[in-house]
């Protein structure tokens, strides 16, 4: 293209053409220069607008919103984790297009030993132009469709194709090698993954090389196209295509338009063309040519080389800006371009380089700040501490690029504490790391699945438990040896609403010991107080325990102004008792951490009455002792007469139900029904559950105060689930799957992993970050992968517990249906217990299992609001009503 008034001067073989017209005066010159360089000045407001607009496009693309088409692509890369430092193995890595027309082949060895690095061996192959111009979207780590070529590549028959398949086809065509292509990775991902695991997680990769782009670890649930709700995935932003006229328009210079117009892909990659190494040199050249034509530079002379596209490269710009050798380099480079720069020219050329590169670094910073804001939003964090791995020749070679970048990011994202970590060979080592991490995740997934497989019960296994339980129920009812003792409770009637009066009730055996005053009129009013039972008392002497109980009663009576009154009392005693009558129950054995001496084999009501006697001046009329399952059934039965089953899933677990008296051996009478306390916690104590018991169940049982006992309970209830999880976590740590294989002291502590953590960790509303918070409070230093695996362990353990509980309920409802010879049974179950009430999925899993195993029963689960204390009072009220009837 000709410039106005040029003349033919020769230098070396280059022909200088210089403008004929007079050169502008000094003031005009500086004005021309200022006006030119001013174009590259970007204000803070403009940068913030670019940051906001890019953030908007990123979130729009993450949501999968198609129109208006988002300006960036946000491509999931199927990389779900960052390096642990334990990755090891040998990997072949191919690197295409990172530095323009070249292919680099590397052999990378990862040792998995902190600080022990093996230098990759590599060889670079130049790609002939005819191959570059001859004849990749990820849908998996090893499946990637090329959307469009950039950076000078133009090969046909590739866009829209799965590049991994093309490589596999090429390898097959060669027939010489057996190479398994495991992963195709964007260079930003390789850069992020090449980052040495350090203090801060390296969760952002930034490349400014020929082109520019970034990736970061996004919460998978925010990436609509993935349809995942847990874990993280690395997303490649592809910000090179960012082009929001509103935001970019004001910062685009005439030189940018010229460069774009003359590029291989006009109108595309506008953002990249202001930052990428392929374009910085060209921008500088266009500015220098312009200033030369304006007579401001090189005495108004240009040279063919200066007017040739691509004659100034990134390396030139970086050298010319070098604070120490820059000026000399400017000279050399311009002479190579056939120019003879004066001293002022050299300075001005450096200003031009600085203007172009400063803008590039600032624009890159605005984009990086948008990524950091997106990361902050998705982590719901006020402040963010993160390491950004940087790679690419612009970052590596330009003397000021990274410092301008860092400074501008701090300005635009002050709430983010960012450290830029130059990636060591991101292209090579990083890609090997992606493959190694994928291999590690796959290996860990396999070990996790193997460990949790015994917890995943299928229909047949659950139906077998149901059938086993039915058999044990029948044997227990017949009074034969059975792990289900099927204890008659002497509760034969549920309340009919005519009960009236004030009753005292005690509720012992759950998380809390409660004393209640229950006033029964047309409705039921309850006043209660919770008292603690210290472990020393629960595991001390029986006398001490019952004296403590009476102390609490007296304290309650005083507080309620009941002192001296002898109200009928109902005692919910949640332990296996063989009842000889409503107010007589022989404790068969303690469970749930209780072990008070001189109680087993004793009538609990007598033990209470003796304690009352020991405490003179107290009068109590103990009318009934009931199991908490019975109390719960009665309490819910008061609202819903169809409630004929009581279920507890709390510290312990158990169930009761109304059985036909004719089926209850040892209790006279053939008509009517009686509530049976199944004591199903002991189901399987005869070994009938051995096929389901895992090594973790065995560890929990052996460490318990009643080894070999309550096996069903130890697979289901709150006292044990946390311990099962803890043992599994220890096992997975020993396999190197969790916590990088580092055994964590805290995790060796019994009961440190509370069952309530399962309920918290599994709650749907909890993002993985909160899961991590719970575990970090426990002193467990974990990664998001670890948190995901701990979550899966909790889910597997609680799911098995709920399914086993469901199989038990299915056995009971089917028993009742068959008892009554019904085709269909509609029945309600009164339920109580912290685990059932607080766990986010337990109740629905129990109901689903019952529907599956007892399809001819319509079962309604009623959560008891007032606990079984109310039920005990109602049993007492019924007993008093019946006693009244017999007296009149
Ligand atoms: C509340 C009942 C009580 C029962 C307890 C079981 O009032 O009788 O023992 O539920 O649940 P936990 O407190 O063991 O979680
Ligand atoms: C006891 C049962 C009680 C259940 C729920 C079990 O340990 O043996 O009697 O119903 O816990 O509290």
């Amino acid at each position: 293209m000709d410039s106005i008034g040029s003349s033919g001067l020769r230098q070396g073989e280059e022909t200088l053409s210089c403008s004929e017209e007079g050169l502008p005066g000094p003031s005009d010159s500086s004005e021309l220069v200022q006006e030119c360089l001013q174009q590259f000045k970007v204000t803070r407001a403009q940068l913030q607008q670019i940051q906001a607009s890019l953030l908007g496009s990123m979130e729009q693309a993450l949501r999968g919103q198609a129109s208006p088409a988002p300006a960036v692509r946000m491509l999931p890369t199927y990389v779900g984790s960052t390096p642990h430092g334990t990755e090891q193995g040998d990997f072949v890595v191919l690197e295409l297009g990172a530095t323009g027309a070249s292919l680099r082949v590397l052999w990378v060895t990862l040792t998995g030993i902190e600080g022990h690095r093996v230098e990759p061996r590599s060889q670079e192959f130049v790609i002939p132009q005819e191959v570059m111009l001859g004849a990749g979207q990820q849908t998996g780590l090893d499946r990637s469709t090329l959307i469009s070529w950039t950076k000078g590549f133009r090969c046909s028959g590739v866009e829209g194709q799965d590049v991994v398949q093309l490589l596999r086809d090429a390898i097959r065509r060669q027939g010489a090698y057996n190479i398994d292509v495991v992963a195709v990775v964007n260079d930003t991902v390789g850069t992020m993954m090449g980052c040495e695991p350090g203090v801060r997680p390296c969760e952002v990769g930034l490349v400014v090389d020929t082109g520019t782009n970034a990736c970061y670890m996004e919460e998978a649930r925010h990436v609509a196209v993935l349809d995942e709700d847990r874990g993280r995935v690395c997303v490649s932003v592809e910000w090179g295509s960012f082009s929001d006229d509103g935001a970019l328009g004001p910062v685009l210079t005439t030189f940018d338009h010229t460069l774009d117009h003359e590029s291989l892909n006009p109108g595309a990659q506008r953002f990249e063309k202001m930052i990428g190494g392929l374009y910085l040199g060209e921008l500088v050249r266009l500015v220098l040519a312009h200033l030369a034509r304006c007579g401001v530079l090189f005495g108004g002379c240009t040279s063919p080389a200066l007017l040739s596209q691509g004659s100034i490269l990134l390396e030139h710009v970086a050298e010319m800006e070098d604070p120490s050798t820059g000026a000399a380099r400017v000279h050399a480079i311009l002479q190579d371009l056939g120019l003879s720069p004066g001293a002022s020219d050299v300075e001005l050329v450096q200003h031009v380089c600085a203007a172009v590169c400063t803008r590039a670094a600032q624009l890159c910073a605005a984009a990086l700040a948008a990524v950091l804001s997106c990361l902050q939003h998705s982590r719901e964090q006020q402040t963010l501490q993160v390491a950004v791995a940087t790679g690419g020749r612009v970052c590596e070679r330009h003397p000021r690029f990274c410092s301008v970048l860092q400074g501008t990011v701090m300005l635009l994202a002050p709430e983010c504490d960012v450290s830029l970590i130059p990636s060591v060979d991101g292209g090579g080592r990083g890609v090997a790391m992606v493959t190694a991490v994928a291999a590690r995740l796959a290996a860990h997934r396999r070990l996790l699945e193997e460990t949790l497989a015994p917890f995943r019960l299928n229909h047949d296994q659950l139906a077998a438990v149901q059938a086993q339980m039915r058999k044990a129920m029948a044997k227990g009812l017949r009074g034969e040896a059975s792990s289900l003792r099927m204890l008659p409770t002497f509760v034969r009637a549920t309340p009919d609403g005519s009960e009236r009066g004030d009753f005292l009730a005690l509720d012992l055996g759950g998380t809390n010991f409660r004393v209640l005053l229950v006033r029964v009129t047309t409705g039921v009013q309850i006043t209660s107080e919770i008292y603690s039972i210290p472990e020393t008392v629960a595991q001390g002497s029986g006398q001490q325990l019952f004296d403590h109980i009476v102390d609490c009663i007296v304290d309650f009576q005083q507080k309620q102004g009941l002192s001296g009154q002898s109200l009928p009392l109902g005692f919910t005693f949640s332990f296996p008792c063989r009842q000889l009558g409503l107010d007589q129950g022989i404790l068969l054995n303690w469970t749930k951490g209780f072990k008070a001496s001189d109680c087993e084999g004793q009538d609990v009501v007598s033990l209470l009455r003796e304690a009352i006697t020991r405490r003179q001046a107290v009068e109590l009329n103990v009318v009934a002792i009931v199991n908490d399952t019975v109390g719960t059934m009665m309490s819910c039965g008061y609202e819903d007469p169809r409630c004929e089953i009581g279920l507890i899933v709390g510290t312990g677990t158990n169930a009761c139900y109304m059985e036909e008296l004719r089926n209850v051996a040892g209790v006279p009478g053939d008509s009517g029904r009686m509530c049976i306390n199944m004591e199903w916690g002991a189901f399987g104590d005869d070994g009938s559950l051995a096929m389901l018991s895992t090594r973790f169940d065995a560890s929990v049982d052996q460490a318990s105060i009643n080894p070999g006992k309550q096996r069903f309970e130890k697979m289901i209830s709150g006292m044990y689930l946390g311990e099962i999880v803890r043992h599994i976590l220890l096992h997975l740590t020993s396999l190197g799957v969790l916590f990088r294989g580092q055994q964590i002291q805290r995790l060796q502590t019994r009961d440190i992993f509370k069952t309530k953590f399962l309920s918290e960790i599994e709650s749907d509303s909890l993002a993985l970050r909160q899961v991590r918070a719970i575990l970090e409070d426990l002193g467990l230093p974990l990664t998001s992968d670890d948190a995901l695996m701990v979550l899966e362990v909790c889910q597997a353990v609680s799911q098995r517990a709920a399914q086993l509980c469901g199989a038990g309920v299915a056995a009971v409802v089917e028993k009742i249906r068959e008892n009554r010879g019904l085709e269909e049974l509609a029945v309600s179950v009164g339920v109580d217990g912290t685990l059932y009430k607080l766990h986010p999925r337990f109740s629905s899993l129990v109901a689903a299992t019952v529907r599956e195993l007892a399809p001819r029963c319509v079962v309604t689960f009623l959560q008891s609001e007032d606990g079984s204390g109310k039920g005990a009072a109602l049993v007492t009220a019924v007993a008093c009503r019946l006693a009244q009837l017999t007296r009149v």
Side-chain angles (χ1 to χ4, degrees):
M1 80 184 140
D2 295 338
S3 60
I4 309 147
S6 61
S7 67
L9 297 177
R10 294 192 67 58
Q11 171 158 15
E13 70 280 351
E14 290 289 340
T15 342
L16 278 180
S17 66
C18 306
S19 87
E20 302 295 336
E21 281 139 51
L23 298 177
S27 64
D28 296 346
S29 299
S30 70
E31 214 177 288
L32 268 168
V33 169
Q34 279 321 310
E35 176 224 315
C36 181
L37 296 183
Q38 186 57 33
Q39 290 191 53
F40 287 90
K41 286 233 178 308
V42 186
T43 65
R44 181 171 176 169
Q46 286 170 329
L47 290 172
Q48 285 165 332
Q49 193 188 351
I50 290 169
Q51 177 187 358
S53 162
L54 183 56
L55 179 58
S57 297
M58 289 170 68
E59 287 169 345
Q60 193 197 330
L62 281 176
R63 287 194 300 274
Q65 199 182 312
S67 77
V72 290
R73 292 209 176 87
M74 303 301 278
L75 302 172
T77 67
Y78 296 83
V79 170
S81 169
T82 48
H84 258 202
T86 59
E87 292 76 14
Q88 47 187 288
D90 291 316
F91 303 87
V92 172
V93 173
L94 307 181
E95 196 183 42
L96 179 68
T99 55
S102 73
L103 171 72
R104 197 158 70 115
V105 181
L106 301 94
W107 180 280
V108 179
T109 299
L110 301 175
T111 61
I113 305 159
E114 196 139 352
H116 179 204
R117 261 176 70 83
V118 176
E119 259 331 291
R121 285 172 282 154
S122 71
Q123 189 169 347
E124 192 134 352
F125 302 88
V126 175
I127 302 174
Q129 199 63 9
E130 66 279 9
V131 173
M132 287 266 283
L133 304 176
Q137 179 125 22
Q138 269 192 273
T139 48
L141 196 57
D142 63 347
R143 276 196 314 284
S144 179
T145 306
L146 176 65
I147 299 170
S148 62
W149 282 119
T150 62
K151 298 180 283 190
F153 280 78
R154 262 287 167 281
C155 312
S156 58
V158 180
E159 287 181 333
Q161 301 299 313
D162 175 356
V163 291
V164 174
Q165 200 46 52
L166 293 175
L167 179 59
R168 286 189 175 127
D169 298 346
I171 292 167
R172 225 188 336 279
R173 274 198 301 278
Q174 296 264 344
Y177 308 97
N178 170 15
I179 294 176
D180 176 17
V181 183
V182 176
V184 58
V185 177
N186 180 273
D187 55 0
T188 57
V189 181
T191 299
M192 180 186 76
M193 298 293 272
C195 200
E196 290 292 340
V199 191
R200 292 192 188 164
C202 203
E203 298 189 303
V204 178
L206 166 67
V207 165
V208 188
D209 198 307
T210 310
T212 179
N213 186 19
C215 69
Y216 71 102
M217 295 303 287
E218 176 58 84
E219 301 293 325
R221 68 177 187 282
H222 293 155
V223 185
V225 68
L226 284 181
D227 195 19
E228 281 270 353
D229 63 356
R230 295 265 178 191
R232 291 192 178 143
V233 65
C234 179
V235 169
S236 166
V237 180
E238 290 297 340
W239 65 25
S241 61
F242 173 63
S243 59
D244 166 336
D245 297 344
L248 275 189
V251 297
L252 283 167
T253 67
T254 53
F255 306 105
D256 295 308
H257 292 302
T258 308
L259 180 148
D260 175 56
H261 182 65
E262 293 169 358
S263 72
L264 278 174
N265 52 353
Q269 301 295 102
R270 296 307 304 272
F271 194 59
E272 176 164 273
K273 287 170 181 165
M274 301 161 88
I275 301 171
L278 185 62
Y279 307 102
L280 295 181
E282 184 59 10
L283 279 170
V284 167
R285 183 189 70 79
L286 289 168
V287 175
L288 299 184
H290 167 71
L291 291 173
R293 282 200 202 92
C294 297
V296 179
L297 204 53
F298 317 130
C301 302
T302 61
S303 70
L306 180 62
L307 301 179
S308 317
Q309 191 182 31
S311 60
I312 296 182
L313 303 175
L314 163 67
E315 288 68 20
H316 295 142
V317 175
E319 290 160 17
M320 292 196 280
E321 273 213 65
D322 185 288
S324 50
T325 60
R329 286 301 300 141
V330 171
H331 246 292
I333 290 165
L334 292 176
Q335 280 169 346
D336 290 350
L337 290 173
L339 299 159
S340 37
S344 63
D345 291 335
V346 169
E347 199 184 331
L348 179 50
V349 168
Q350 289 188 305
H351 283 328
V352 170
C353 292
V356 169
C357 295
T358 302
R359 182 191 70 164
Q362 291 171 329
L363 291 173
C364 186
L368 181 57
V371 168
L372 298 173
S373 310
C374 200
L375 197 54
Q376 214 186 333
H377 294 169
S378 93
R379 305 280 162 84
E380 298 155 11
Q381 284 173 320
Q382 294 308 314
T383 61
L384 184 73
Q385 272 208 330
V386 68
V388 175
T390 60
R393 288 166 305 136
V394 177
C395 292
E396 288 149 17
R397 304 207 187 144
H398 192 278
R400 293 175 312 109
F401 191 90
C402 283
S403 55
V404 174
L405 175 72
Q406 176 107 42
T408 313
V409 167
M410 285 159 72
L411 206 63
L412 298 174
E415 67 295 5
C416 297
D417 176 0
V418 182
S419 46
L420 299 183
I421 315 273
S423 172
V424 187
D425 187 8
R429 194 178 151 70
V431 175
M433 197 53 90
V434 168
T435 319
V437 167
R440 166 177 55 83
L441 287 180
H444 286 181
R445 163 87 14 224
R446 237 188 344 274
L447 288 167
L448 182 69
E449 280 315 318
E450 275 161 25
T451 303
L452 297 181
F455 289 86
R456 308 210 193 280
L457 305 180
N458 59 34
H459 176 86
D460 296 348
Q461 288 171 305
L462 292 168
V465 170
Q466 180 188 14
Q468 278 284 357
M469 187 168 273
R470 287 296 303 273
K471 255 195 269 156
M473 288 169 75
K475 285 165 75 178
L477 285 170
R478 290 197 297 269
E480 294 164 17
S482 165
S483 62
L484 290 180
R485 284 174 276 197
M486 307 303 282
L487 303 165
T489 66
F490 294 85
V491 171
R492 304 201 47 193
T494 46
D496 65 3
S498 66
E499 297 74 18
R500 294 285 181 278
D502 288 356
F503 303 89
L504 268 183
L506 308 177
D507 186 350
L508 177 74
T511 313
N512 307 306
F513 168 51
R514 290 202 305 165
V515 181
L516 308 88
L517 169 64
V518 181
R519 176 156 296 156
V520 182
T521 53
T522 51
V524 175
Q525 284 90 42
I526 296 175
T527 317
S528 71
E529 181 104 9
I530 289 179
Y531 294 88
S532 73
I533 305 278
E535 192 170 277
T536 48
V537 173
Q539 299 190 3
S541 72
Q543 177 162 330
Q544 192 193 5
L545 172 63
F546 283 90
D547 286 348
H548 177 76
I549 290 171
V550 172
D551 290 348
C552 300
I553 299 171
V554 170
D555 174 77
F556 180 78
Q557 284 184 315
Q558 281 158 357
K559 284 186 179 147
Q560 302 303 324
L562 299 168
S563 302
Q565 287 190 42
S566 168
L567 293 177
L569 182 144
F571 186 6
T572 300
F573 184 75
S574 312
F575 302 93
C577 287
R578 183 169 307 290
Q579 290 204 232
L580 309 175
L582 199 55
D583 65 347
Q584 233 185 327
I586 309 300
L587 173 60
L588 298 172
N589 58 276
W590 284 118
T591 65
K592 292 178 290 187
F594 276 73
K595 209 169 185 194
S597 57
D598 315 320
C599 296
E600 290 178 337
Q602 303 299 314
D603 173 14
V604 177
V605 176
S606 309
L607 294 174
L608 180 58
R609 287 181 177 141
E610 286 155 18
I612 294 165
T613 314
R614 278 194 295 276
R615 177 75 186 251
Q616 276 100 23
V618 177
E619 263 209 69
L620 289 171
N621 167 18
V622 184
V623 170
I625 179 168
V626 296
N627 184 263
D628 53 354
T629 54
V630 179
T632 300
M633 181 189 78
M634 293 295 271
S635 172
C636 295
Y638 194 69
E639 321 297 336
D640 172 353
R642 285 175 318 153
C643 183
E644 298 187 82
I645 298 171
L647 171 67
I648 295 287
V649 191
T651 317
T653 183
N654 187 16
C656 72
Y657 71 101
M658 297 305 287
E659 177 57 81
E660 310 304 320
L661 204 51
R662 68 175 180 274
N663 296 336
V664 184
V667 176
D670 275 346
S671 64
R673 298 178 182 138
M674 176 178 283
C675 180
I676 296 295
N677 167 11
M678 297 176 66
E679 283 300 333
W680 81 8
F683 179 49
D685 287 8
D686 56 0
S688 55
L689 281 179
M691 77 288 191
L692 294 183
S693 181
T694 68
R695 54 186 290 171
F696 311 109
D697 297 309
S699 312
V700 169
D701 179 53
Q702 272 135 35
S704 71
I705 62 170
N706 55 351
K709 297 269 183 269
Q710 302 294 103
R711 297 309 299 268
F712 194 55
E713 178 163 89
K714 285 171 182 165
M715 287 181 168
I716 293 176
S717 77
M719 186 158 191
Y720 306 101
L721 294 191
E723 272 297 278
I724 296 173
V725 168
R726 185 176 70 85
H727 281 280
I728 296 173
L729 300 185
L730 288 172
H731 172 68
L732 290 171
T733 308
S734 68
L735 295 176
V737 170
L738 274 178
F739 314 124
R740 297 192 172 100
Q742 316 294 321
Q743 285 295 359
I744 317 283
Q745 191 45 41
R746 288 294 300 282
L747 211 49
Q748 317 283 340
T749 318
R750 222 179 119 198
D751 292 331
I752 189 84
F753 199 99
K754 304 281 178 237
T755 297
K756 73 178 168 86
F757 294 155
L758 277 81
S759 300
E760 290 166 7
I761 285 170
E762 290 182 57
S763 100
D764 293 339
S765 65
L766 219 58
L768 206 53
R769 181 178 55 74
Q770 284 125 332
V771 174
R772 291 180 66 166
I774 291 170
L775 300 168
E776 274 151 9
D777 287 354
L778 264 183
L780 302 179
L782 74 170
T783 65
S784 53
D785 304 337
D786 291 335
L788 205 52
M789 281 197 253
V790 171
L791 166 70
E792 288 191 49
V793 170
C794 294
Q795 286 173 334
V797 170
S798 61
Q799 170 145 341
R800 180 188 70 164
Q803 289 178 312
L804 287 172
C805 183
V809 173
V812 174
V813 293
E814 274 294 289
K815 176 78 168 72
I816 294 174
R817 185 183 66 76
E818 287 169 20
N819 278 352
R820 300 173 194 182
L822 299 171
E823 267 311 301
E824 280 253 334
L825 171 76
V827 68
S828 300
V829 179
V831 192
D832 210 332
T834 322
L835 178 58
Y836 184 94
K837 283 184 165 177
L838 298 187
H839 190 282
R841 300 178 314 132
F842 202 97
S843 53
S844 56
L845 283 167
V846 170
T849 308
V850 173
R851 275 195 302 277
E852 186 190 331
L853 297 177
R856 295 160 69 178
C857 300
V858 178
V859 181
T860 309
F861 291 87
L862 307 167
Q863 288 210 11
S864 159
E865 294 318 323
D866 309 302
S868 59
K870 168 184 165 185
L874 289 168
V875 168
T876 309
V878 171
C880 296
R881 172 168 60 74
L882 294 178
Q884 197 84 10
L885 286 179
T886 50
R887 265 200 294 278
V888 287

